[in-house]
Amino acid sequence: MAFYFEEPSHTFSEYLLVPGYSSKECMPANVSLKTPVVKFRKGEEPAISMNIPLVSAIMQSVSGEKMAIALAREGGISFIYGSQSIEDEAAMIARVKSTKAGFVTSDSNIRQDQTLADILELKKKTGHSTVAVTADGSPNGKLLGIVTSRDYRVSRMSLDTKVQEFMTPFSSLVYAEEGVTLKEANNIIWDNKLNALPVVDKDQNLLYMVFRKDYDSHKENPNELLDGSKRYVVGAGINTRDYAERVPALVEAGADVLCIDSSEGFSEWQKLTIDWIREHYGDSVKVGAGNVVDREGFLFLAKAGADFVKVGIGGGSICITREQKGIGRGQATALIEVAKARDEYFAATGIYIPVCSDGGIVCDYHITLALAMGADFIMLGRYFARFDESPTNRLSINGNYVKEYWGEGSNRARNWQRYDLGGASKLSFEEGVDSYVPYAGSLKDNVTQTLNKVKSTMCNCGALTIPELQQNAKITRVSATSIVEGGAHDVILKENNVSQVK
């Protein structure tokens, strides 16, 4: 006989947080949203943490390189989608890692015997106005000079003019030598009013460039998430089919953390994938797994060696898995059970495995609820798909701006690997839809507003950290009538086009 759960599963909209005592220290400015991303032992620090509890979903319509850069600037992580070629995914990762760094390997380089036309073509390709002139045109060749847009005027110079005729030669450059600290390099930049500072070794070979704009960016984004080399932290999606080829390429490109992207994670395929990673990389490569919706699924992935576990099946706004297959569980119920299993596993083993809640977020307050229910961070698709930084087109439909948004289980994504049960080579039916979401503007503005709400609610619950929220929060189920009561009711809302009566 089938096993029956005694209680129906529930969604976030069926719960509210009950206020707790707030001390005078409970102000949003004092709230820390720092949270672990990967497992760690009791008394130790996790290898990777985030400054905000948000990650973007492993989806073609959500997590490209622009999203990864923008979210890392706010303190979160994007997981670049894996439903593309290995080469293209690795290239995206590499571009994210090279976009922000205290010490940047130059990707705009030229020889002195090349021409102004070559400079303009290189600028068009890279978008960078600072070009290093090296003896062999390589990123680490002997530095002979620098070219910036101030060194030439296209209207007054022939395109055949040699670079050596208008570059700023090395003898006139302000530069730093190998071993300089980032603080010292930034001081040199400011003292000499530079936009870029080359760093060379004792033989005059170019090592890095340090840019003024990176310093300015850090001042504007104090929560930005950086690795040990001052580069943006970025994640990458993998599948359970081509991991032996994909994982090495992503690791080589600089991916900080991987995540198996699958519609259902309670599977031997995921264990085999994790086993392969552990055999070849040990614990140095961090990999999350999922998705699961109950205690058994969590314990399976925990024992398989997952660094974090994703929770949720069928709760995404573009997901129709429940409709098509009758598989899934209400997101709140699934999260509560998995978080409880996580805490029991931690008590028994001393190993804390972070839980990622994936799906079911409709309103901003659902994020706070998910954290209170035990999630360490939240994976969001629709939320991020609305922003300028998502990789999809912005369209105007009936006078309203929208952005395209499609599921990885849709025919448009053709991500059959995510739903593969062994041996398939295409989708036999769809588990996702192709849709639009209302355009919402920039990521920074929206994330700031969302997290302001989260911090304010945490203060109402008497919590200044996510662990305090999980320990102290009081949560209540609400009736259907209470849900109606929670919105505006029994009033006539003002419309913008209603003129005032004088």
Side-chain angles (χ1 to χ4, degrees):
M1 180 178 176
F3 176 82
Y4 290 88
F5 288 93
E6 295 182 2
E7 183 179 315
S9 61
H10 301 281
T11 67
F12 293 130
S13 292
E14 297 177 73
Y15 292 89
L16 288 174
L17 287 157
V18 176
Y21 171 72
S22 299
S23 69
K24 63 181 181 180
E25 285 78 27
C26 282
M27 298 182 293
N30 293 335
V31 172
S32 169
L33 295 178
K34 189 170 183 178
T35 192
V37 177
V38 297
K39 67 183 178 184
F40 59 94
R41 290 189 174 276
K42 186 175 182 179
E44 298 179 355
E45 289 295 319
I48 303 174
S49 294
M50 291 187 294
N51 295 324
I52 64 173
L54 305 180
V55 300
S56 65
I58 312 170
M59 300 175 70
Q60 295 174 8
S61 55
V62 178
S63 294
E65 59 199 82
K66 287 179 64 178
M67 179 64 68
I69 293 166
L71 185 51
R73 282 177 176 158
E74 299 307 309
I77 296 176
S78 280
F79 284 86
I80 300 294
Y81 64 92
S83 52
Q84 57 180 318
S85 72
I86 295 172
E87 295 76 17
D88 287 346
E89 186 179 10
M92 278 193 178
I93 295 292
R95 287 194 291 270
V96 173
K97 298 304 288 187
S98 65
T99 297
K100 163 69 187 183
F103 296 94
V104 183
T105 299
S106 176
D107 64 354
S108 292
N109 311 286
I110 205 162
R111 300 188 313 274
Q112 64 176 348
D113 60 346
Q114 291 183 265
T115 65
L116 175 59
D118 295 321
I119 287 282
L120 298 177
E121 183 63 28
L122 184 60
K123 182 178 179 180
K124 181 180 178 182
K125 179 181 178 181
T126 66
H128 301 156
S129 58
T130 299
V131 179
V133 183
T134 59
D136 59 0
S138 72
N140 299 119
K142 185 174 182 179
L143 184 63
L144 304 179
I146 294 286
V147 173
T148 71
S149 55
R150 293 179 297 182
D151 292 319
Y152 57 85
R153 290 188 181 182
V154 177
S155 61
R156 297 186 180 183
M157 294 172 60
S158 168
L159 294 179
D160 295 328
T161 306
K162 299 291 186 183
V163 169
Q164 61 189 5
E165 296 181 32
F166 59 87
M167 71 181 187
T168 301
F170 182 79
S171 59
S172 301
L173 290 177
V174 177
Y175 62 91
E177 295 183 348
E178 185 176 8
V180 67
T181 67
L182 185 57
K183 182 177 181 180
E184 291 168 342
N186 282 322
N187 287 338
I188 295 172
I189 288 173
W190 280 92
D191 291 343
N192 293 276
K193 297 181 173 58
L194 305 174
N195 289 321
L197 176 73
V199 180
V200 299
D201 66 14
K202 59 182 178 59
D203 297 317
Q204 199 177 313
N205 294 312
L206 179 62
L207 299 176
Y208 308 106
M209 300 289 290
V210 180
F211 292 96
R212 181 189 186 108
K213 65 180 178 62
D214 286 347
Y215 178 81
D216 292 338
S217 173
H218 183 66
K219 288 199 301 181
E220 294 172 4
N221 302 287
N223 279 331
E224 62 185 355
L225 194 60
L226 307 176
D227 65 15
S229 299
K230 306 297 183 182
R231 302 174 302 175
Y232 287 130
V233 172
V234 61
I238 61 173
N239 61 66
T240 58
R241 299 288 291 180
D242 65 6
Y243 52 82
E245 295 79 32
R246 189 173 295 268
V247 170
L250 299 180
V251 171
E252 176 68 22
D256 296 278
V257 57
L258 308 177
C259 184
I260 302 172
D261 182 29
S262 175
S263 64
E264 205 282 295
F266 195 177
S267 158
E268 186 178 5
W269 298 108
Q270 298 230 347
K271 182 180 184 303
L272 293 172
T273 303
I274 297 171
D275 285 346
W276 186 92
I277 292 173
R278 295 293 174 245
E279 178 184 351
H280 290 82
Y281 295 96
D283 292 328
S284 64
V285 170
K286 307 302 181 184
V287 56
N291 289 16
V292 296
V293 293
D294 64 4
R295 173 189 176 83
E296 284 184 278
F298 170 82
L299 291 176
F300 172 79
L301 293 178
K303 294 172 183 177
D307 285 295
F308 66 86
V309 173
K310 281 205 298 162
V311 178
I313 295 177
S317 61
I318 41 69
C319 184
I320 54 173
T321 294
R322 298 178 190 176
E323 177 182 340
Q324 292 282 60
K325 296 168 65 176
I327 293 289
R329 199 178 192 189
Q331 187 66 11
T333 299
L335 177 58
I336 290 168
E337 180 172 321
V338 169
K340 182 179 179 181
R342 184 266 322 279
D343 292 343
E344 292 173 351
Y345 186 84
F346 179 49
T349 66
I351 299 173
Y352 187 91
I353 301 177
V355 166
C356 169
S357 180
D358 177 20
I361 301 296
V362 179
C363 307
D364 285 349
Y365 81 87
H366 289 170
I367 294 174
T368 320
L369 267 173
L371 295 172
M373 290 175 177
D376 295 283
F377 54 98
I378 320 297
M379 179 170 278
L380 300 160
R382 179 194 61 85
Y383 177 87
F384 286 115
R386 305 172 299 149
F387 303 152
D388 290 318
E389 294 82 2
S390 70
T392 63
N393 296 317
R394 188 181 76 166
L395 307 172
S396 178
I397 298 181
N398 298 325
N400 297 313
Y401 282 115
V402 298
K403 294 209 74 176
E404 295 176 297
Y405 180 45
W406 60 92
E408 289 296 294
S410 67
N411 282 331
R412 182 171 183 176
R414 298 191 298 276
N415 187 5
W416 61 268
Q417 296 97 329
R418 188 174 196 270
Y419 300 86
D420 177 34
L421 296 179
S425 59
K426 63 179 181 179
L427 291 174
S428 55
F429 56 88
E430 289 188 284
E431 293 189 44
V433 299
D434 195 347
S435 64
Y436 303 108
V437 288
Y439 168 68
S442 74
L443 179 146
K444 184 177 183 65
D445 290 344
N446 284 275
V447 166
T448 297
Q449 183 180 70
T450 294
L451 295 182
N452 282 340
K453 295 179 186 178
V454 172
K455 291 178 180 180
S456 180
T457 305
M458 287 174 63
C459 288
N460 292 144
C461 296
L464 292 176
T465 66
I466 292 173
E468 285 183 9
L469 178 68
Q470 294 168 345
Q471 182 176 355
N472 299 333
K474 295 182 290 185
I475 302 173
T476 182
R477 283 261 307 281
V478 294
S479 67
T481 304
S482 294
I483 294 173
V484 173
E485 180 187 60
H489 59 91
D490 302 319
V491 294
I492 300 173
L493 297 179
K494 293 182 178 179
E495 299 292 343
N496 292 331
N497 59 354
V498 176
S499 57
Q500 184 176 358
V501 178
K502 296 183 179 179

